[in-house]
Amino acid sequence: WGYIYLPDPLLALIDTEDFQRLRNITQLGYVHLVYPGARHSRFEHSLGVYHLSKQFLLRLLQSNPPLDLTDEDVRVFLAATLLHDIGHYPFSHTLEELRPSFVLHETRARQILENKDSTIHHVLVDQVKIDPLRVANVINYETTEQQIPERDLLLAKILSGTLDPDKID
């Protein structure tokens, strides 16, 4: 995607240890064993999803009528686009089949975001100025554990729909 601009608060999310660990988790599973050049990491994928999500969001905000979002909604959405895969394990989708030993990566993302001792939680609160619970709701919107507010469900459907930035990247 070329150069991807990130404002300082979102760059602080990327600088966390939890986000940096995504550099070592393959996006394509075992594909590199057949196609040695297929070396896409969850780190690169997360940046790509962020970039595409910004483009989706700009189009929706410029539509007629425009999507009605607050500044906070936009910050929640953009943080969720970066952090949507934060809960992935190596070979995550394969390991998730070994439940209950491994929880779904969306559930794990919620655990990381809601952990008040995590660096990501602190960056979201102190620098991005948003509630980590809202970001967790956008990522883990299919949970049966709690009711997800309509505004968060709307953001979740932009990030995870039939044709979404996650699938496109």
Side-chain angles (χ1 to χ4, degrees):
W1 303 113
Y3 291 107
I4 298 173
Y5 170 77
L6 288 137
D8 288 339
L10 294 180
L11 193 54
L13 285 174
I14 291 173
D15 287 340
T16 63
E17 187 176 338
D18 281 322
F19 197 92
Q20 288 296 315
R21 120 191 132 73
L22 296 177
R23 288 179 184 273
N24 299 316
I25 299 176
T26 179
Q27 171 73 12
L28 303 174
Y30 298 106
V31 172
H32 70 279
L33 297 174
V34 178
Y35 300 102
R39 298 278 181 187
H40 198 58
S41 72
R42 294 267 174 204
F43 179 91
E44 295 160 333
H45 167 68
S46 295
L47 293 176
V49 171
Y50 165 80
H51 171 73
L52 291 171
S53 295
K54 273 192 351 186
Q55 292 181 341
F56 272 52
L57 193 58
L58 285 172
R59 297 276 191 244
L60 290 170
L61 291 171
Q62 294 169 348
S63 65
N64 189 8
L67 188 61
D68 182 28
L69 295 177
T70 65
D71 288 343
E72 179 186 356
D73 292 335
V74 170
R75 290 193 313 275
V76 166
F77 178 72
L78 292 177
T81 66
L82 276 175
L83 299 172
H84 78 283
D85 276 352
I86 201 71
H88 267 289
Y89 312 98
F91 308 108
S92 177
H93 293 290
T94 304
L95 291 179
E96 286 174 358
E97 293 175 12
L98 300 175
R99 274 183 253 150
S101 298
F102 295 91
V103 297
L104 295 174
H105 70 276
E106 296 91 352
T107 303
R108 180 70 187 121
R110 180 176 291 281
Q111 293 168 347
I112 292 168
L113 295 170
E114 292 182 0
N115 177 357
K116 293 184 180 178
D117 294 328
S118 78
T119 307
I120 286 182
H121 182 93
H122 288 285
V123 170
L124 289 171
V125 171
D126 299 335
Q127 296 184 46
V128 186
K129 308 283 189 216
I130 54 176
D131 183 356
L133 175 62
R134 287 199 66 200
V135 179
N137 288 343
V138 174
I139 295 169
N140 185 228
Y141 67 95
E142 292 181 322
T143 184
T144 56
E145 308 278 319
Q146 60 197 59
Q147 184 87 12
I148 307 297
E150 285 298 318
R151 291 199 78 73
D152 296 348
L153 275 176
L154 170 66
L155 300 174
K157 293 300 181 179
I158 299 170
L159 178 58
S160 302
T162 305
L163 182 61
D164 62 45
D166 190 15
K167 289 179 185 75
I168 291 173
D169 186 76

mmCIF file of all heavy atoms in Angstrom, residues 118-167:
data_model
loop_
_atom_site.group_PDB
_atom_site.id
_atom_site.type_symbol
_atom_site.label_atom_id
_atom_site.label_comp_id
_atom_site.label_asym_id
_atom_site.label_seq_id
_atom_site.Cartn_x
_atom_site.Cartn_y
_atom_site.Cartn_z
ATOM 1 N N SER A 118 -2.421 -3.929 30.909
ATOM 2 C CA SER A 118 -1.756 -4.045 29.606
ATOM 3 C C SER A 118 -1.372 -2.669 29.068
ATOM 4 O O SER A 118 -2.059 -1.679 29.287
ATOM 5 C CB SER A 118 -2.637 -4.783 28.596
ATOM 6 O OG SER A 118 -3.638 -3.938 28.080
ATOM 7 N N THR A 119 -0.270 -2.647 28.346
ATOM 8 C CA THR A 119 0.200 -1.400 27.730
ATOM 9 C C THR A 119 -0.819 -0.894 26.717
ATOM 10 O O THR A 119 -1.068 0.310 26.634
ATOM 11 C CB THR A 119 1.561 -1.630 27.046
ATOM 12 O OG1 THR A 119 2.458 -2.206 27.987
ATOM 13 C CG2 THR A 119 2.141 -0.339 26.529
ATOM 14 N N ILE A 120 -1.406 -1.798 25.962
ATOM 15 C CA ILE A 120 -2.397 -1.397 24.959
ATOM 16 C C ILE A 120 -3.572 -0.688 25.631
ATOM 17 O O ILE A 120 -4.051 0.338 25.144
ATOM 18 C CB ILE A 120 -2.862 -2.604 24.131
ATOM 19 C CG1 ILE A 120 -1.751 -3.008 23.160
ATOM 20 C CG2 ILE A 120 -4.156 -2.305 23.388
ATOM 21 C CD1 ILE A 120 -2.075 -4.152 22.245
ATOM 22 N N HIS A 121 -4.044 -1.217 26.744
ATOM 23 C CA HIS A 121 -5.143 -0.585 27.483
ATOM 24 C C HIS A 121 -4.773 0.850 27.853
ATOM 25 O O HIS A 121 -5.551 1.779 27.634
ATOM 26 C CB HIS A 121 -5.466 -1.405 28.739
ATOM 27 C CG HIS A 121 -6.601 -0.869 29.536
ATOM 28 N ND1 HIS A 121 -7.896 -1.302 29.355
ATOM 29 C CD2 HIS A 121 -6.655 0.080 30.507
ATOM 30 C CE1 HIS A 121 -8.689 -0.657 30.183
ATOM 31 N NE2 HIS A 121 -7.957 0.184 30.899
ATOM 32 N N HIS A 122 -3.568 1.027 28.380
ATOM 33 C CA HIS A 122 -3.122 2.364 28.796
ATOM 34 C C HIS A 122 -2.987 3.324 27.615
ATOM 35 O O HIS A 122 -3.356 4.494 27.717
ATOM 36 C CB HIS A 122 -1.805 2.278 29.577
ATOM 37 C CG HIS A 122 -1.983 1.701 30.935
ATOM 38 N ND1 HIS A 122 -2.533 2.399 31.981
ATOM 39 C CD2 HIS A 122 -1.709 0.469 31.411
ATOM 40 C CE1 HIS A 122 -2.587 1.633 33.054
ATOM 41 N NE2 HIS A 122 -2.097 0.449 32.738
ATOM 42 N N VAL A 123 -2.473 2.836 26.494
ATOM 43 C CA VAL A 123 -2.346 3.695 25.312
ATOM 44 C C VAL A 123 -3.728 4.127 24.822
ATOM 45 O O VAL A 123 -3.946 5.292 24.485
ATOM 46 C CB VAL A 123 -1.554 2.990 24.185
ATOM 47 C CG1 VAL A 123 -1.635 3.771 22.882
ATOM 48 C CG2 VAL A 123 -0.099 2.786 24.591
ATOM 49 N N LEU A 124 -4.681 3.190 24.790
ATOM 50 C CA LEU A 124 -6.032 3.532 24.345
ATOM 51 C C LEU A 124 -6.658 4.603 25.231
ATOM 52 O O LEU A 124 -7.265 5.554 24.736
ATOM 53 C CB LEU A 124 -6.918 2.287 24.319
ATOM 54 C CG LEU A 124 -6.607 1.271 23.221
ATOM 55 C CD1 LEU A 124 -7.394 -0.012 23.429
ATOM 56 C CD2 LEU A 124 -6.859 1.849 21.845
ATOM 57 N N VAL A 125 -6.480 4.468 26.535
ATOM 58 C CA VAL A 125 -7.078 5.425 27.476
ATOM 59 C C VAL A 125 -6.328 6.754 27.473
ATOM 60 O O VAL A 125 -6.931 7.823 27.341
ATOM 61 C CB VAL A 125 -7.118 4.825 28.903
ATOM 62 C CG1 VAL A 125 -7.522 5.871 29.929
ATOM 63 C CG2 VAL A 125 -8.057 3.632 28.955
ATOM 64 N N ASP A 126 -5.007 6.693 27.612
ATOM 65 C CA ASP A 126 -4.212 7.910 27.831
ATOM 66 C C ASP A 126 -3.879 8.688 26.561
ATOM 67 O O ASP A 126 -3.791 9.911 26.593
ATOM 68 C CB ASP A 126 -2.907 7.566 28.553
ATOM 69 C CG ASP A 126 -3.145 6.933 29.919
ATOM 70 O OD1 ASP A 126 -4.216 7.176 30.511
ATOM 71 O OD2 ASP A 126 -2.263 6.180 30.378
ATOM 72 N N GLN A 127 -3.667 7.987 25.451
ATOM 73 C CA GLN A 127 -3.223 8.677 24.236
ATOM 74 C C GLN A 127 -4.302 8.759 23.155
ATOM 75 O O GLN A 127 -4.477 9.796 22.527
ATOM 76 C CB GLN A 127 -1.953 8.018 23.693
ATOM 77 C CG GLN A 127 -0.794 8.174 24.674
ATOM 78 C CD GLN A 127 0.487 7.608 24.114
ATOM 79 O OE1 GLN A 127 0.828 7.871 22.960
ATOM 80 N NE2 GLN A 127 1.202 6.841 24.917
ATOM 81 N N VAL A 128 -4.999 7.647 22.923
ATOM 82 C CA VAL A 128 -6.048 7.656 21.908
ATOM 83 C C VAL A 128 -7.333 8.275 22.479
ATOM 84 O O VAL A 128 -8.186 8.747 21.743
ATOM 85 C CB VAL A 128 -6.302 6.241 21.342
ATOM 86 C CG1 VAL A 128 -7.283 6.272 20.175
ATOM 87 C CG2 VAL A 128 -4.999 5.585 20.883
ATOM 88 N N LYS A 129 -7.437 8.269 23.799
ATOM 89 C CA LYS A 129 -8.575 8.892 24.511
ATOM 90 C C LYS A 129 -9.903 8.203 24.201
ATOM 91 O O LYS A 129 -10.913 8.844 23.907
ATOM 92 C CB LYS A 129 -8.691 10.382 24.185
ATOM 93 C CG LYS A 129 -7.428 11.183 24.379
ATOM 94 C CD LYS A 129 -7.180 11.465 25.833
ATOM 95 C CE LYS A 129 -6.025 12.456 25.976
ATOM 96 N NZ LYS A 129 -5.195 12.228 27.105
ATOM 97 N N ILE A 130 -9.875 6.863 24.259
ATOM 98 C CA ILE A 130 -11.095 6.087 24.044
ATOM 99 C C ILE A 130 -11.177 4.971 25.072
ATOM 100 O O ILE A 130 -10.181 4.600 25.698
ATOM 101 C CB ILE A 130 -11.167 5.502 22.616
ATOM 102 C CG1 ILE A 130 -9.916 4.687 22.291
ATOM 103 C CG2 ILE A 130 -11.414 6.588 21.590
ATOM 104 C CD1 ILE A 130 -9.937 3.998 20.946
ATOM 105 N N ASP A 131 -12.369 4.420 25.211
ATOM 106 C CA ASP A 131 -12.621 3.318 26.123
ATOM 107 C C ASP A 131 -12.214 2.005 25.444
ATOM 108 O O ASP A 131 -12.785 1.657 24.393
ATOM 109 C CB ASP A 131 -14.102 3.300 26.493
ATOM 110 C CG ASP A 131 -14.476 2.231 27.492
ATOM 111 O OD1 ASP A 131 -13.601 1.411 27.883
ATOM 112 O OD2 ASP A 131 -15.652 2.200 27.894
ATOM 113 N N PRO A 132 -11.281 1.258 26.012
ATOM 114 C CA PRO A 132 -10.877 -0.024 25.419
ATOM 115 C C PRO A 132 -12.039 -0.998 25.252
ATOM 116 O O PRO A 132 -12.022 -1.836 24.352
ATOM 117 C CB PRO A 132 -9.846 -0.564 26.414
ATOM 118 C CG PRO A 132 -9.313 0.655 27.086
ATOM 119 C CD PRO A 132 -10.472 1.604 27.180
ATOM 120 N N LEU A 133 -13.056 -0.873 26.095
ATOM 121 C CA LEU A 133 -14.230 -1.742 25.987
ATOM 122 C C LEU A 133 -14.911 -1.556 24.631
ATOM 123 O O LEU A 133 -15.335 -2.526 24.006
ATOM 124 C CB LEU A 133 -15.220 -1.452 27.117
ATOM 125 C CG LEU A 133 -16.542 -2.213 27.066
ATOM 126 C CD1 LEU A 133 -16.304 -3.712 27.171
ATOM 127 C CD2 LEU A 133 -17.473 -1.730 28.156
ATOM 128 N N ARG A 134 -14.979 -0.325 24.145
ATOM 129 C CA ARG A 134 -15.598 -0.077 22.839
ATOM 130 C C ARG A 134 -14.788 -0.729 21.719
ATOM 131 O O ARG A 134 -15.352 -1.314 20.794
ATOM 132 C CB ARG A 134 -15.741 1.424 22.577
ATOM 133 C CG ARG A 134 -16.823 2.081 23.406
ATOM 134 C CD ARG A 134 -17.254 3.400 22.826
ATOM 135 N NE ARG A 134 -17.905 3.204 21.526
ATOM 136 C CZ ARG A 134 -18.046 4.173 20.625
ATOM 137 N NH1 ARG A 134 -17.595 5.387 20.869
ATOM 138 N NH2 ARG A 134 -18.647 3.927 19.472
ATOM 139 N N VAL A 135 -13.478 -0.634 21.802
ATOM 140 C CA VAL A 135 -12.622 -1.265 20.790
ATOM 141 C C VAL A 135 -12.823 -2.783 20.835
ATOM 142 O O VAL A 135 -12.966 -3.438 19.800
ATOM 143 C CB VAL A 135 -11.141 -0.891 20.998
ATOM 144 C CG1 VAL A 135 -10.260 -1.577 19.955
ATOM 145 C CG2 VAL A 135 -10.946 0.616 20.949
ATOM 146 N N ALA A 136 -12.878 -3.335 22.040
ATOM 147 C CA ALA A 136 -13.117 -4.770 22.201
ATOM 148 C C ALA A 136 -14.477 -5.154 21.621
ATOM 149 O O ALA A 136 -14.612 -6.212 20.989
ATOM 150 C CB ALA A 136 -13.036 -5.146 23.675
ATOM 151 N N ASN A 137 -15.482 -4.304 21.798
ATOM 152 C CA ASN A 137 -16.812 -4.580 21.243
ATOM 153 C C ASN A 137 -16.794 -4.642 19.723
ATOM 154 O O ASN A 137 -17.484 -5.466 19.125
ATOM 155 C CB ASN A 137 -17.813 -3.497 21.679
ATOM 156 C CG ASN A 137 -18.188 -3.600 23.136
ATOM 157 O OD1 ASN A 137 -17.985 -4.623 23.787
ATOM 158 N ND2 ASN A 137 -18.729 -2.520 23.665
ATOM 159 N N VAL A 138 -16.015 -3.782 19.089
ATOM 160 C CA VAL A 138 -15.942 -3.769 17.627
ATOM 161 C C VAL A 138 -15.241 -5.031 17.122
ATOM 162 O O VAL A 138 -15.654 -5.619 16.120
ATOM 163 C CB VAL A 138 -15.221 -2.494 17.120
ATOM 164 C CG1 VAL A 138 -15.011 -2.542 15.612
ATOM 165 C CG2 VAL A 138 -16.010 -1.245 17.508
ATOM 166 N N ILE A 139 -14.225 -5.468 17.829
ATOM 167 C CA ILE A 139 -13.466 -6.657 17.418
ATOM 168 C C ILE A 139 -14.213 -7.940 17.762
ATOM 169 O O ILE A 139 -14.283 -8.872 16.974
ATOM 170 C CB ILE A 139 -12.073 -6.664 18.081
ATOM 171 C CG1 ILE A 139 -11.251 -5.485 17.568
ATOM 172 C CG2 ILE A 139 -11.352 -7.992 17.840
ATOM 173 C CD1 ILE A 139 -9.969 -5.235 18.334
ATOM 174 N N ASN A 140 -14.796 -7.989 18.955
ATOM 175 C CA ASN A 140 -15.435 -9.201 19.493
ATOM 176 C C ASN A 140 -16.948 -9.005 19.566
ATOM 177 O O ASN A 140 -17.572 -9.240 20.583
ATOM 178 C CB ASN A 140 -14.822 -9.513 20.864
ATOM 179 C CG ASN A 140 -15.304 -10.797 21.482
ATOM 180 O OD1 ASN A 140 -15.682 -10.819 22.638
ATOM 181 N ND2 ASN A 140 -15.287 -11.877 20.747
ATOM 182 N N TYR A 141 -17.540 -8.565 18.471
ATOM 183 C CA TYR A 141 -18.955 -8.194 18.458
ATOM 184 C C TYR A 141 -19.901 -9.389 18.481
ATOM 185 O O TYR A 141 -21.082 -9.247 18.781
ATOM 186 C CB TYR A 141 -19.267 -7.309 17.245
ATOM 187 C CG TYR A 141 -19.151 -8.009 15.924
ATOM 188 C CD1 TYR A 141 -20.266 -8.561 15.304
ATOM 189 C CD2 TYR A 141 -17.917 -8.132 15.292
ATOM 190 C CE1 TYR A 141 -20.156 -9.218 14.093
ATOM 191 C CE2 TYR A 141 -17.802 -8.775 14.082
ATOM 192 C CZ TYR A 141 -18.913 -9.317 13.488
ATOM 193 O OH TYR A 141 -18.799 -9.973 12.290
ATOM 194 N N GLU A 142 -19.418 -10.581 18.171
ATOM 195 C CA GLU A 142 -20.282 -11.764 18.142
ATOM 196 C C GLU A 142 -20.355 -12.478 19.492
ATOM 197 O O GLU A 142 -20.952 -13.528 19.593
ATOM 198 C CB GLU A 142 -19.804 -12.726 17.059
ATOM 199 C CG GLU A 142 -20.015 -12.178 15.658
ATOM 200 C CD GLU A 142 -19.578 -13.132 14.568
ATOM 201 O OE1 GLU A 142 -18.541 -13.812 14.754
ATOM 202 O OE2 GLU A 142 -20.260 -13.191 13.542
ATOM 203 N N THR A 143 -19.771 -11.878 20.517
ATOM 204 C CA THR A 143 -19.800 -12.488 21.840
ATOM 205 C C THR A 143 -21.233 -12.634 22.352
ATOM 206 O O THR A 143 -22.088 -11.805 22.051
ATOM 207 C CB THR A 143 -18.962 -11.673 22.847
ATOM 208 O OG1 THR A 143 -18.957 -12.356 24.096
ATOM 209 C CG2 THR A 143 -19.521 -10.273 23.041
ATOM 210 N N THR A 144 -21.461 -13.687 23.101
ATOM 211 C CA THR A 144 -22.757 -13.860 23.760
ATOM 212 C C THR A 144 -22.659 -13.468 25.236
ATOM 213 O O THR A 144 -23.643 -13.524 25.952
ATOM 214 C CB THR A 144 -23.225 -15.323 23.644
ATOM 215 O OG1 THR A 144 -22.212 -16.181 24.193
ATOM 216 C CG2 THR A 144 -23.478 -15.699 22.193
ATOM 217 N N GLU A 145 -21.470 -13.074 25.646
ATOM 218 C CA GLU A 145 -21.211 -12.739 27.046
ATOM 219 C C GLU A 145 -21.805 -11.398 27.463
ATOM 220 O O GLU A 145 -22.044 -11.170 28.635
ATOM 221 C CB GLU A 145 -19.697 -12.704 27.311
ATOM 222 C CG GLU A 145 -18.954 -13.942 26.876
ATOM 223 C CD GLU A 145 -19.048 -15.049 27.895
ATOM 224 O OE1 GLU A 145 -18.944 -14.759 29.090
ATOM 225 O OE2 GLU A 145 -19.233 -16.204 27.477
ATOM 226 N N GLN A 146 -22.004 -10.490 26.503
ATOM 227 C CA GLN A 146 -22.510 -9.168 26.847
ATOM 228 C C GLN A 146 -23.238 -8.546 25.669
ATOM 229 O O GLN A 146 -23.057 -8.956 24.525
ATOM 230 C CB GLN A 146 -21.389 -8.256 27.317
ATOM 231 C CG GLN A 146 -20.300 -8.027 26.312
ATOM 232 C CD GLN A 146 -19.057 -7.474 26.973
ATOM 233 O OE1 GLN A 146 -18.492 -8.091 27.858
ATOM 234 N NE2 GLN A 146 -18.649 -6.309 26.549
ATOM 235 N N GLN A 147 -24.032 -7.537 25.987
ATOM 236 C CA GLN A 147 -24.780 -6.789 24.972
ATOM 237 C C GLN A 147 -23.852 -5.763 24.326
ATOM 238 O O GLN A 147 -23.192 -5.008 25.028
ATOM 239 C CB GLN A 147 -25.958 -6.078 25.651
ATOM 240 C CG GLN A 147 -26.853 -5.349 24.712
ATOM 241 C CD GLN A 147 -27.933 -6.248 24.139
ATOM 242 O OE1 GLN A 147 -28.134 -7.351 24.600
ATOM 243 N NE2 GLN A 147 -28.618 -5.761 23.124
ATOM 244 N N ILE A 148 -23.794 -5.737 23.003
ATOM 245 C CA ILE A 148 -22.947 -4.781 22.282
ATOM 246 C C ILE A 148 -23.818 -3.595 21.852
ATOM 247 O O ILE A 148 -24.836 -3.784 21.178
ATOM 248 C CB ILE A 148 -22.288 -5.434 21.046
ATOM 249 C CG1 ILE A 148 -21.540 -6.711 21.419
ATOM 250 C CG2 ILE A 148 -21.375 -4.441 20.327
ATOM 251 C CD1 ILE A 148 -20.384 -6.534 22.352
ATOM 252 N N PRO A 149 -23.423 -2.370 22.224
ATOM 253 C CA PRO A 149 -24.200 -1.187 21.825
ATOM 254 C C PRO A 149 -24.272 -1.033 20.301
ATOM 255 O O PRO A 149 -23.361 -1.435 19.577
ATOM 256 C CB PRO A 149 -23.414 -0.014 22.439
ATOM 257 C CG PRO A 149 -22.586 -0.617 23.517
ATOM 258 C CD PRO A 149 -22.281 -2.022 23.075
ATOM 259 N N GLU A 150 -25.378 -0.438 19.842
ATOM 260 C CA GLU A 150 -25.620 -0.270 18.405
ATOM 261 C C GLU A 150 -24.489 0.466 17.685
ATOM 262 O O GLU A 150 -24.123 0.104 16.582
ATOM 263 C CB GLU A 150 -26.947 0.465 18.166
ATOM 264 C CG GLU A 150 -28.173 -0.398 18.396
ATOM 265 C CD GLU A 150 -28.253 -1.597 17.464
ATOM 266 O OE1 GLU A 150 -27.956 -1.466 16.256
ATOM 267 O OE2 GLU A 150 -28.602 -2.681 17.955
ATOM 268 N N ARG A 151 -23.936 1.516 18.305
ATOM 269 C CA ARG A 151 -22.850 2.288 17.654
ATOM 270 C C ARG A 151 -21.632 1.396 17.422
ATOM 271 O O ARG A 151 -20.974 1.492 16.394
ATOM 272 C CB ARG A 151 -22.467 3.508 18.489
ATOM 273 C CG ARG A 151 -23.577 4.553 18.482
ATOM 274 C CD ARG A 151 -23.131 5.918 18.867
ATOM 275 N NE ARG A 151 -22.443 6.689 17.867
ATOM 276 C CZ ARG A 151 -22.979 7.250 16.796
ATOM 277 N NH1 ARG A 151 -24.245 7.094 16.543
ATOM 278 N NH2 ARG A 151 -22.256 7.974 15.976
ATOM 279 N N ASP A 152 -21.324 0.548 18.390
ATOM 280 C CA ASP A 152 -20.186 -0.368 18.248
ATOM 281 C C ASP A 152 -20.481 -1.448 17.207
ATOM 282 O O ASP A 152 -19.596 -1.853 16.451
ATOM 283 C CB ASP A 152 -19.818 -0.980 19.592
ATOM 284 C CG ASP A 152 -19.327 0.055 20.596
ATOM 285 O OD1 ASP A 152 -19.056 1.206 20.189
ATOM 286 O OD2 ASP A 152 -19.224 -0.285 21.787
ATOM 287 N N LEU A 153 -21.735 -1.917 17.157
ATOM 288 C CA LEU A 153 -22.119 -2.905 16.138
ATOM 289 C C LEU A 153 -21.994 -2.328 14.729
ATOM 290 O O LEU A 153 -21.544 -3.016 13.811
ATOM 291 C CB LEU A 153 -23.557 -3.385 16.360
ATOM 292 C CG LEU A 153 -23.741 -4.513 17.352
ATOM 293 C CD1 LEU A 153 -25.232 -4.807 17.552
ATOM 294 C CD2 LEU A 153 -22.999 -5.762 16.925
ATOM 295 N N LEU A 154 -22.363 -1.067 14.569
ATOM 296 C CA LEU A 154 -22.224 -0.406 13.271
ATOM 297 C C LEU A 154 -20.761 -0.404 12.835
ATOM 298 O O LEU A 154 -20.432 -0.768 11.701
ATOM 299 C CB LEU A 154 -22.755 1.030 13.341
ATOM 300 C CG LEU A 154 -22.462 1.912 12.126
ATOM 301 C CD1 LEU A 154 -23.190 1.399 10.889
ATOM 302 C CD2 LEU A 154 -22.822 3.354 12.412
ATOM 303 N N LEU A 155 -19.866 -0.014 13.743
ATOM 304 C CA LEU A 155 -18.437 0.004 13.428
ATOM 305 C C LEU A 155 -17.926 -1.403 13.132
ATOM 306 O O LEU A 155 -17.114 -1.609 12.224
ATOM 307 C CB LEU A 155 -17.655 0.633 14.581
ATOM 308 C CG LEU A 155 -18.025 2.080 14.932
ATOM 309 C CD1 LEU A 155 -17.274 2.533 16.172
ATOM 310 C CD2 LEU A 155 -17.790 3.007 13.768
ATOM 311 N N ALA A 156 -18.416 -2.387 13.887
ATOM 312 C CA ALA A 156 -18.008 -3.777 13.679
ATOM 313 C C ALA A 156 -18.404 -4.263 12.286
ATOM 314 O O ALA A 156 -17.640 -4.977 11.638
ATOM 315 C CB ALA A 156 -18.621 -4.672 14.755
ATOM 316 N N LYS A 157 -19.576 -3.866 11.826
ATOM 317 C CA LYS A 157 -20.054 -4.314 10.514
ATOM 318 C C LYS A 157 -19.263 -3.676 9.371
ATOM 319 O O LYS A 157 -19.181 -4.247 8.287
ATOM 320 C CB LYS A 157 -21.555 -4.016 10.365
ATOM 321 C CG LYS A 157 -22.417 -4.827 11.299
ATOM 322 C CD LYS A 157 -22.254 -6.303 11.051
ATOM 323 C CE LYS A 157 -23.128 -7.110 11.979
ATOM 324 N NZ LYS A 157 -23.006 -8.539 11.760
ATOM 325 N N ILE A 158 -18.691 -2.505 9.606
ATOM 326 C CA ILE A 158 -17.823 -1.900 8.581
ATOM 327 C C ILE A 158 -16.505 -2.671 8.509
ATOM 328 O O ILE A 158 -15.977 -2.942 7.438
ATOM 329 C CB ILE A 158 -17.556 -0.411 8.882
ATOM 330 C CG1 ILE A 158 -18.858 0.380 8.880
ATOM 331 C CG2 ILE A 158 -16.564 0.174 7.863
ATOM 332 C CD1 ILE A 158 -18.718 1.799 9.405
ATOM 333 N N LEU A 159 -15.981 -3.057 9.680
ATOM 334 C CA LEU A 159 -14.711 -3.779 9.738
ATOM 335 C C LEU A 159 -14.861 -5.241 9.340
ATOM 336 O O LEU A 159 -13.968 -5.820 8.720
ATOM 337 C CB LEU A 159 -14.114 -3.670 11.149
ATOM 338 C CG LEU A 159 -12.813 -4.406 11.417
ATOM 339 C CD1 LEU A 159 -11.713 -3.944 10.472
ATOM 340 C CD2 LEU A 159 -12.399 -4.229 12.867
ATOM 341 N N SER A 160 -15.988 -5.851 9.680
ATOM 342 C CA SER A 160 -16.188 -7.286 9.458
ATOM 343 C C SER A 160 -17.538 -7.535 8.792
ATOM 344 O O SER A 160 -18.502 -7.868 9.465
ATOM 345 C CB SER A 160 -16.131 -8.032 10.794
ATOM 346 O OG SER A 160 -14.922 -7.819 11.445
ATOM 347 N N GLY A 161 -17.572 -7.388 7.506
ATOM 348 C CA GLY A 161 -18.815 -7.610 6.769
ATOM 349 C C GLY A 161 -18.577 -8.549 5.605
ATOM 350 O O GLY A 161 -17.581 -9.253 5.543
ATOM 351 N N THR A 162 -19.509 -8.515 4.659
ATOM 352 C CA THR A 162 -19.394 -9.372 3.494
ATOM 353 C C THR A 162 -18.172 -9.031 2.644
ATOM 354 O O THR A 162 -17.411 -9.894 2.244
ATOM 355 C CB THR A 162 -20.676 -9.249 2.632
ATOM 356 O OG1 THR A 162 -21.800 -9.540 3.475
ATOM 357 C CG2 THR A 162 -20.645 -10.204 1.469
ATOM 358 N N LEU A 163 -17.998 -7.751 2.395
ATOM 359 C CA LEU A 163 -16.831 -7.270 1.648
ATOM 360 C C LEU A 163 -16.203 -6.195 2.512
ATOM 361 O O LEU A 163 -16.644 -5.048 2.526
ATOM 362 C CB LEU A 163 -17.262 -6.711 0.292
ATOM 363 C CG LEU A 163 -16.138 -6.219 -0.614
ATOM 364 C CD1 LEU A 163 -15.190 -7.363 -0.957
ATOM 365 C CD2 LEU A 163 -16.705 -5.600 -1.871
ATOM 366 N N ASP A 164 -15.194 -6.560 3.271
ATOM 367 C CA ASP A 164 -14.642 -5.640 4.264
ATOM 368 C C ASP A 164 -13.139 -5.467 4.078
ATOM 369 O O ASP A 164 -12.504 -6.212 3.338
ATOM 370 C CB ASP A 164 -14.970 -6.141 5.680
ATOM 371 C CG ASP A 164 -14.350 -7.493 5.992
ATOM 372 O OD1 ASP A 164 -13.162 -7.699 5.683
ATOM 373 O OD2 ASP A 164 -15.034 -8.340 6.563
ATOM 374 N N PRO A 165 -12.552 -4.469 4.774
ATOM 375 C CA PRO A 165 -11.117 -4.217 4.628
ATOM 376 C C PRO A 165 -10.244 -5.395 5.076
ATOM 377 O O PRO A 165 -9.174 -5.623 4.517
ATOM 378 C CB PRO A 165 -10.854 -2.999 5.521
ATOM 379 C CG PRO A 165 -12.163 -2.508 5.975
ATOM 380 C CD PRO A 165 -13.204 -3.509 5.623
ATOM 381 N N ASP A 166 -10.716 -6.173 6.043
ATOM 382 C CA ASP A 166 -9.968 -7.328 6.532
ATOM 383 C C ASP A 166 -9.855 -8.383 5.429
ATOM 384 O O ASP A 166 -8.766 -8.913 5.162
ATOM 385 C CB ASP A 166 -10.660 -7.893 7.769
ATOM 386 C CG ASP A 166 -9.831 -8.935 8.501
ATOM 387 O OD1 ASP A 166 -8.617 -9.047 8.262
ATOM 388 O OD2 ASP A 166 -10.416 -9.659 9.345
ATOM 389 N N LYS A 167 -10.949 -8.667 4.755
ATOM 390 C CA LYS A 167 -10.923 -9.661 3.671
ATOM 391 C C LYS A 167 -10.151 -9.144 2.455
ATOM 392 O O LYS A 167 -9.468 -9.899 1.775
ATOM 393 C CB LYS A 167 -12.345 -10.043 3.278
ATOM 394 C CG LYS A 167 -13.068 -10.878 4.309
ATOM 395 C CD LYS A 167 -14.473 -11.192 3.848
ATOM 396 C CE LYS A 167 -15.263 -11.914 4.913
ATOM 397 N NZ LYS A 167 -15.702 -11.060 6.021
#
